[in-house]
Amino acid sequence: MNSNDIANLEKLLPLADKYGLAYIVALVLLVIFLVLLRSIVKGNLVPRELLERAEDDRDRLQNILDKERSDFMAPTLEVLQRLKVDHAAEEVNEENRGR
């Protein structure tokens, strides 16, 4: 420890004695948390290039998943469309019979 650290410690020890060690530690952790939160919000924690590359990868993979989902769901949608057409035709026939 250098003399600057010792001087800071000498300033903090009377506060810890007066207010209690838990409050001082909580205050220090709160300051650390706020600095960390600020660096996350400003984008200093993660380099911009890595963030953009991760977003591009996410978008590319989402497009692949959307394509696979549409290919997988195509037969089901086809069946549902046929059922809609059949159901609409049955309703027209029933209306004609009722007259």
Side-chain angles (χ1 to χ4, degrees):
M1 293 178 83
N2 59 23
S3 61
N4 192 21
D5 291 338
I6 293 173
N8 288 337
L9 189 58
E10 286 176 352
K11 291 177 187 175
L12 287 177
L13 285 177
L15 291 175
D17 190 32
K18 182 177 179 183
Y19 296 111
L21 186 60
Y23 292 117
I24 301 301
V25 170
L27 181 66
V28 169
L29 289 177
L30 181 65
V31 169
I32 291 172
F33 177 74
L34 291 175
V35 168
L36 183 64
L37 185 65
R38 181 173 169 253
S39 65
I40 290 172
V41 169
K42 290 181 85 175
N44 296 337
L45 201 58
V46 178
R48 179 61 65 188
E49 306 86 43
L50 292 177
L51 180 63
E52 288 176 358
R53 186 170 55 187
E55 288 176 349
D56 290 341
D57 288 345
R58 183 198 61 211
D59 292 342
R60 183 178 51 82
L61 292 173
Q62 186 63 44
N63 289 336
I64 291 170
L65 286 173
D66 288 344
K67 183 182 180 304
E68 288 179 359
R69 188 178 303 125
S70 67
D71 291 345
F72 176 74
M73 294 299 288
T76 306
L77 290 173
E78 196 175 302
V79 169
L80 289 175
Q81 291 297 332
R82 276 191 256 138
L83 286 175
K84 277 185 178 179
V85 170
D86 290 344
H87 184 67
E90 286 177 11
E91 285 180 0
V92 169
N93 287 337
E94 287 177 10
E95 287 178 7
N96 289 338
R97 278 188 238 153
R99 289 187 178 176

